[in-house]
Amino acid sequence: MSNVQTTILWKQMLFTLGMPEVALMIGIVLVFVGNKGWSRETITKLFHDGTEKAASILLIIGGGGAFGAILAQANIGEHFATYVSISSLGLFFPFLVAAVLKTAQGSSTVAVITAASIVAPLLVTLGLESETGRILCVLALGAGSMMVSHANDAYFWVIAKFSGLPMREMLKVYSVSTLIMGIVSIGFIYLLSLIIL
């Protein structure tokens, strides 16, 4: 086997080991190897607690993904282009689309992907067809995807469950901070657009 083939093989092995599913499996195996004295009751309790904490989060992610897929199939971008005058919104349009999607279904990833599929056909209308405009559009989508994390966001529940904070406190502190984070981000992106566009 040549050096090039060996290098490629090692890269593929490292990429495989770095996949989240494989890394988690390795972590689980190492935990069991390091704790051979665990009783069946202890293992059952660990699995029960882990499932209890993760199940609601996974349901929220799945529901958000399904909602995002439905929105992507609806060709909303074409409807906006036909019925709404959006050219004056510029960078704020991708921001608003991502923010609405994030707030509605919870997942930042789904919000960005769905908003990108809605905004992509409208880049010329928005005046963002240049390479710099597209970069700014991606930044605006990212800012929108940070907006208003609340009870339908899996990460909201990750923080709440593992920190032990009640929902009222999470809404007061975490949800408000994500709102402020998104607004400040789009403000700086807009100022940046004035300089480089």
Side-chain angles (χ1 to χ4, degrees):
M1 192 181 292
S2 69
N3 287 339
V4 174
Q5 289 175 324
T6 305
T7 304
I8 291 171
L9 181 63
W10 277 106
K11 280 184 180 178
Q12 288 175 339
M13 286 174 60
L14 289 174
F15 283 135
T16 303
L17 290 173
M19 290 171 61
E21 300 86 356
V22 177
L24 277 171
M25 183 60 74
I26 292 170
I28 290 169
V29 169
L30 289 175
V31 166
F32 281 111
V33 169
N35 295 286
K36 291 180 181 175
W38 278 352
S39 66
R40 181 175 290 233
E41 290 76 21
T42 304
I43 294 170
T44 303
K45 185 178 184 315
L46 285 171
F47 276 117
H48 181 270
D49 291 348
T51 304
E52 186 180 328
K53 288 182 178 178
S56 59
I57 295 168
L58 292 174
L59 283 172
I60 291 167
I61 292 171
F67 180 62
I70 290 168
L71 290 175
Q73 292 297 318
N75 292 325
I76 294 174
E78 293 177 13
H79 296 294
F80 276 120
T82 307
Y83 299 109
V84 183
S85 176
I86 59 168
S87 57
S88 60
L89 291 175
L91 275 176
F92 293 103
F93 182 74
F95 169 76
L96 290 171
V97 172
V100 167
L101 289 171
K102 162 67 176 176
T103 305
Q105 53 78 39
S107 169
S108 296
T109 305
V110 172
V112 166
I113 292 170
T114 308
S117 67
I118 292 169
V119 171
L122 307 173
L123 288 175
V124 175
T125 307
L126 294 168
L128 300 171
E129 71 276 9
S130 68
E131 192 170 322
T132 304
R134 290 180 185 182
I135 292 169
L136 290 168
C137 179
V138 170
L139 292 174
L141 288 168
S145 74
M146 292 190 284
M147 290 286 283
V148 195
S149 174
H150 60 94
N152 65 356
D153 182 4
Y155 191 61
F156 177 93
W157 289 108
V158 169
I159 294 172
K161 295 257 185 195
F162 289 101
S163 66
L165 289 172
M167 187 171 181
R168 183 185 295 272
E169 295 302 316
M170 285 291 295
L171 290 170
K172 277 199 277 190
V173 177
Y174 182 67
S175 297
V176 172
S177 67
T178 57
L179 173 67
I180 294 168
M181 185 169 56
I183 291 171
V184 169
S185 297
I186 192 60
F188 276 103
I189 293 164
Y190 179 70
L191 292 175
L192 181 64
S193 73
L194 295 177
I195 298 168
I196 65 175
L197 266 184

